[in-house]
Amino acid sequence: MTACRICGGDLVEFYDFGRQPLSDAFHKPGQFQDEFFFRLAVGLCTDCTMVQLMEEVPRDKMFHEDYPYYSSGSAVMRKHFELTARRFIETELTGPAPFAVEIGSNDGIMLKTIADAGIKHLGVEPSGGVAELSRSKGVRVLNEFFQESTAVEIAATDGQADVIFSANTICHIPYLDSIFKGVDALLKPNGVFVFEDPYLGEIVRRTSFDQIYDEHYYFFTARSVQSMANRYGFELVDVERLPVHGGETRYTIARQGARTPSPAVAEMIAEENERGLATLPTLEGFGENVTKIKDDLVALLTKLKAEGKTVAAYGATAKSATVANLCGLSTDLVSYVCDTTPQKQNRVSPGTHIPVRPAEAFHEDTPDYALLFAWNHAEEIMAKEKAFRDGGGKWILYVPEVHVV
Ligand code: SAH
Ligand code: TYD
Ligand code: ZN
């Protein structure tokens, strides 16, 4: 039996996705002889209820100079983070010398607004390419992994922060012990640590199993986050559901006793307990739904192929590595995947080696069916590609079940 990374309790595996590649490793065609694979499986801690991966991938294999995920590729996400920054400016960064820190600031999508407002800030971002781009936007960045030692260094040179924010990054970090100790060193007595990540409640509700891949190590609930925060002298004082990335929760954490918890915290935990969210029967049921989606998707794509229809995919997401590798999708079922990210184009998808082509390919070599890998951006993409459906094209979605629209 493996031990929980948070509390040392028993970790019980509930789904095995098998051999999977690094989800963001887009190799040049023909140059994937040394491709890295690991066993992707998820488990539940029967003590603290944290859902987590059974195996950890070394962080330098995922986050490095060529990390190809650029947050600013979505207009909806640019707006989301601009509003997030404005809210911090109005509510938390109002004192005489405000200071905001972001963990995993990527290309500066959130901090740019804070930098433009002339407020002291620092992004901590280990991936060189995205960090460099954020610098060109006037954002101050430390090109390192955030951990206790980094936080102690920042506190010594810059002082403590009013806000430590992190989006889609805390769930990527197995070593949360070091993160909480770092937050303890870096946060002002009345400061807040705010992070947002895909919500287990939504992953289970929609069977959005492709949220599970190497980089997503933890799948949080209000209950597991509260229990984790308490271990380090913090408490969960607010929760807010967010519609982005297929359904997330934003958690606000403060030092124990520093702020009055919102009733929303107890309400969310009660709701999670009522539905038995982080329990084995629920998670095993989720696993059965995953297997059904896998079978249905392979059956649909095989049928379309037999009918002579062409299928391409839309969005070379990290998430799609899980779907494609679980279903064994290769070029005989999906001819290419289009994506707007230059760093992914003219490369091949991880494990399945489907060519990644620029967004223009979708207009020049339009398929009969488009498998929407970036389903979390469905509204934005379907609006942009309205002509595809007007011209008779059909979208294939696999969340919450396989369906064609
Ligand atoms: N916040 C952005 C980026 C999310 S992608 C958004 O929501 O869109 C996750 C980012 O976390 C990557 O840019 C990765 O390089 C960074 N990251 C991974 N481990 C980290 C760590 N220990 N400290 C800081 N950033 C980290
Ligand atoms: P996303 O779903 O945000 O994240 P992840 O990689 O973590 O699963 O990735 C979206 C991908 O889709 C990204 O590579 C950019 C691409 N994309 C497009 O090609 N066109 C678009 O209109 C949008 C919104 C995204
Ligand atoms: Zn635990």
Side-chain angles (χ1 to χ4, degrees):
M1 179 85 58
T2 320
C4 169
R5 269 306 287 256
I6 302 295
C7 78
D10 286 347
L11 195 56
V12 183
E13 184 174 317
F14 61 85
Y15 201 82
D16 183 356
F17 291 89
R19 191 169 168 268
Q20 290 275 344
L22 299 170
S23 62
D24 265 318
F26 292 85
H27 297 277
K28 293 191 176 129
Q31 294 185 13
F32 37 74
Q33 288 75 17
D34 306 327
E35 196 163 15
F36 178 89
F37 287 92
F38 73 110
R39 189 178 80 93
L40 178 69
V42 263
L44 166 74
C45 171
T46 51
D47 287 1
C48 76
T49 76
M50 186 67 85
V51 171
Q52 59 205 277
L53 297 190
M54 303 300 294
E55 274 186 32
E56 178 180 341
V57 171
R59 66 187 190 177
D60 309 278
K61 287 206 180 294
M62 301 184 281
F63 311 115
H64 45 66
E65 197 54 36
D66 301 319
Y67 181 64
Y69 182 71
Y70 285 72
S71 302
S72 297
S74 153
V76 169
M77 293 314 298
R78 289 197 297 275
K79 189 82 209 157
H80 169 78
F81 286 120
E82 186 194 326
L83 293 175
T84 303
R86 292 206 185 289
R87 213 209 284 176
F88 285 137
I89 292 171
E90 283 162 20
T91 59
E92 301 293 339
L93 300 169
T94 54
F99 179 33
V101 171
E102 185 178 4
I103 303 172
S105 49
N106 197 273
D107 61 7
I109 189 167
M110 195 288 285
L111 281 182
K112 188 189 178 304
T113 302
I114 293 192
D116 288 350
I119 294 170
K120 182 174 167 178
H121 63 276
L122 183 66
V124 185
E125 175 49 67
S127 297
V130 290
E132 203 41 52
L133 179 59
S134 66
R135 283 193 182 122
S136 75
K137 299 176 184 169
V139 171
R140 193 173 154 241
V141 205
L142 187 63
N143 183 206
E144 277 179 34
F145 284 96
F146 186 90
Q147 56 192 18
E148 189 179 4
S149 57
T150 327
V152 168
E153 254 170 60
I154 300 169
T157 42
D158 284 303
Q160 288 183 316
D162 299 86
V163 178
I164 301 176
F165 177 69
S166 190
N168 306 299
T169 302
I170 296 304
C171 75
H172 291 53
I173 307 180
Y175 44 99
L176 288 184
D177 176 71
S178 178
I179 299 300
F180 270 92
K181 287 177 181 161
V183 168
D184 194 18
L186 185 55
L187 196 65
K188 282 183 187 169
N190 191 38
V192 283
F193 173 32
V194 180
F195 60 91
E196 58 193 57
D197 288 289
Y199 179 49
L200 182 72
E202 205 61 36
I203 294 172
V204 168
R205 193 178 71 78
R206 295 200 204 189
T207 318
S208 41
F209 64 96
D210 57 349
Q211 291 288 8
I212 303 168
Y213 55 91
D214 57 350
E215 295 171 20
H216 286 181
Y217 192 84
Y218 292 110
F219 304 89
F220 299 132
T221 63
R223 178 172 165 184
S224 65
V225 166
Q226 187 193 50
S227 146
M228 170 170 72
N230 292 346
R231 299 177 73 82
Y232 298 98
F234 290 92
E235 69 184 316
L236 181 58
V237 295
D238 205 4
V239 285
E240 186 189 347
R241 297 295 315 277
L242 306 171
V244 296
H245 288 310
E248 304 204 316
T249 299
R250 178 179 287 170
Y251 306 94
T252 301
I253 284 166
R255 295 184 189 279
Q256 246 152 22
R259 300 214 181 181
T260 310
S262 149
V265 174
E267 283 164 22
M268 194 160 173
I269 292 174
E271 190 196 295
E272 291 171 355
N273 289 341
E274 219 163 282
R275 67 186 271 209
L277 176 58
T279 62
L280 280 175
T282 298
L283 297 170
E284 281 160 3
F286 162 81
E288 284 160 22
N289 294 342
V290 175
T291 303
K292 176 164 177 8
I293 290 178
K294 170 194 163 182
D295 294 344
D296 289 352
L297 185 57
V298 172
L300 173 64
L301 295 174
T302 308
K303 177 177 135 283
L304 292 175
K305 186 191 171 178
E307 290 169 357
K309 304 286 192 213
T310 54
V311 179
Y314 203 109
T317 57
K319 290 183 287 292
S320 66
T322 297
V323 183
N325 286 277
L326 182 73
C327 299
L329 306 183
S330 59
T331 46
D332 63 326
L333 293 177
V334 177
S335 53
Y336 67 87
V337 48
C338 70
D339 195 286
T340 50
T341 315
Q343 290 79 0
K344 295 180 182 176
Q345 294 163 1
N346 304 316
R347 296 189 170 232
V348 297
S349 65
T352 49
H353 309 150
I354 300 168
V356 182
R357 297 173 60 186
E360 292 70 42
F362 195 67
H363 306 131
E364 290 155 11
D365 184 8
T366 308
D368 299 318
Y369 287 77
L371 177 59
L372 187 55
F373 277 154
W375 56 266
N376 48 311
H377 300 295
E379 221 173 293
E380 182 174 347
I381 290 171
M382 287 184 184
K384 184 156 92 176
E385 301 293 356
K386 193 177 168 294
F388 172 61
R389 222 153 102 192
D390 292 348
K394 293 191 163 64
W395 293 100
I396 301 172
L397 288 118
Y398 48 86
V399 165
E401 59 194 3
V402 176
H403 60 290
V404 173
V405 291

